[in-house]
């Protein structure tokens, strides 16, 4: 059965590259602090976010709201709702939907607050090791048209994370302990255990790519 994420993978085929497959991520860990564009080891940056154990963790930047439009597939009501803040969201990584040498994971944000809010654009994302050091460059953005998605409490939106299977691409790899997901226009990230095994970390055409948010979970 072809999932919605499979369609995203088809668009990014041959343009994108870089556990346990087929499982969702563990409960996320909210990271207070200020996220910055995650490039390389940010464990010593003044603006890096902190994990709840007191250690410093790299964080990626959220996307800006630029030229977006309202999605006809928005979920929930309240056209005047403000954007969803990191503290109001729960993050998870959906099951891999591989195809044609491509690895495809949905990054899912669920409204865990008691109010309706909106998501609009791309997520920020960064792979990190157990110490919080970033592994590899920031994922690049696939071409897309951001659309404002209205999330009632309990509803979800997802963005596709795709990369070529490292065994196919021959890219240098590392196995992350977690992925940091930053909601659009936010500075704080959500930390989710990474279930997908090795990812490409060389700064070339094998890097990972992200799509804009869509309604649902990508399953």
């Amino acid at each position: 059965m072809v999932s919605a994420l499979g369609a995203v993978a088809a668009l990014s085929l041959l343009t994108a590259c870089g556990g346990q497959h087929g499982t969702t991520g563990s409960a996320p860990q909210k990271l207070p602090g200020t996220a910055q564009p995650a490039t390389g080891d940010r464990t010593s940056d003044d603006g890096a976010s902190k994990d709840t154990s007191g250690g410093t963790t790299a964080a990626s930047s959220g996307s800006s709201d630029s030229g977006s439009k309202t999605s006809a597939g928005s979920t929930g009501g309240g056209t005047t709702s403000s954007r969803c803040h990191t503290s109001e969201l729960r993050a998870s990584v959906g099951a891999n939907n591989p195809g044609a040498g491509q690895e495809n994971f949905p990054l899912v944000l669920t409204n865990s607050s008691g109010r309706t809010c909106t998501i609009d654009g791309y997520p920020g994302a960064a792979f990190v090791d157990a110490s919080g050091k970033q592994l590899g460059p920031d994922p690049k953005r696939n071409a897309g048209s951001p659309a404002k998605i209205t999330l009632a409490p309990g509803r979800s939106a997802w963005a596709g994370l795709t990369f070529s299977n490292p065994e196919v691409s021959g890219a240098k790899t590392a196995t992350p302990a977690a992925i940091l997901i930053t909601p659009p226009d936010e500075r704080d990230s959500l930390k989710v255990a990474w279930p997908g095994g090795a990812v490409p970390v060389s700064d070339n055409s094998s890097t990972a790519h992200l799509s804009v948010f869509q309604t649902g979970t990508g399953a």
Side-chain angles (χ1 to χ4, degrees), residues 4-215:
L5 182 58
V8 174
L11 292 177
S12 60
L13 183 61
L14 302 180
T15 65
C17 282
Q20 60 194 47
H21 286 227
T23 60
T24 58
S26 63
Q29 181 179 359
K30 293 181 181 178
L31 303 178
T34 301
Q36 297 185 6
T39 303
D41 184 0
R42 308 191 78 77
T43 56
S44 62
D45 286 0
D46 293 338
S49 57
K50 307 283 186 178
D51 64 20
T52 56
S53 64
T56 305
T57 305
S60 62
S61 63
S63 76
S64 60
D65 180 0
S66 174
S68 59
K69 58 185 179 181
T70 301
S71 169
S74 297
T75 304
T79 57
T80 60
S81 302
S82 64
R83 78 170 187 268
C84 301
H85 299 294
T86 302
S87 61
E88 299 175 306
L89 297 167
R90 181 177 71 253
S92 61
V93 177
N96 186 18
N97 181 30
Q102 197 83 358
E103 308 300 319
N104 309 291
F105 294 87
L107 305 183
V108 184
L109 294 180
T110 301
N111 183 0
S112 59
S113 74
R115 74 178 185 99
T116 296
C117 58
T118 61
I119 282 180
D120 188 356
Y122 295 83
F127 295 114
V128 295
D129 63 16
S131 69
K133 178 182 177 180
Q134 182 171 341
L135 302 173
D138 290 350
K140 297 179 180 179
R141 294 178 176 182
N142 287 331
S145 299
K148 185 173 291 185
I149 300 170
T150 303
L151 297 180
R155 303 307 292 268
S156 302
W158 68 280
L161 172 68
T162 66
F163 54 88
S164 291
N165 185 308
E167 294 183 1
V168 175
S169 68
K172 178 182 178 181
T173 64
T175 300
I179 184 170
L180 304 182
I181 302 172
T182 309
D185 301 309
E186 290 292 297
R187 297 172 67 83
D188 294 336
S189 301
L190 295 166
K191 184 178 181 181
V192 183
W194 174 247
V199 300
V201 294
S202 51
D203 190 7
N204 55 27
S205 60
S206 297
T207 192
H209 283 66
L210 292 166
S211 69
V212 297
F213 275 104
Q214 304 176 54
T215 57

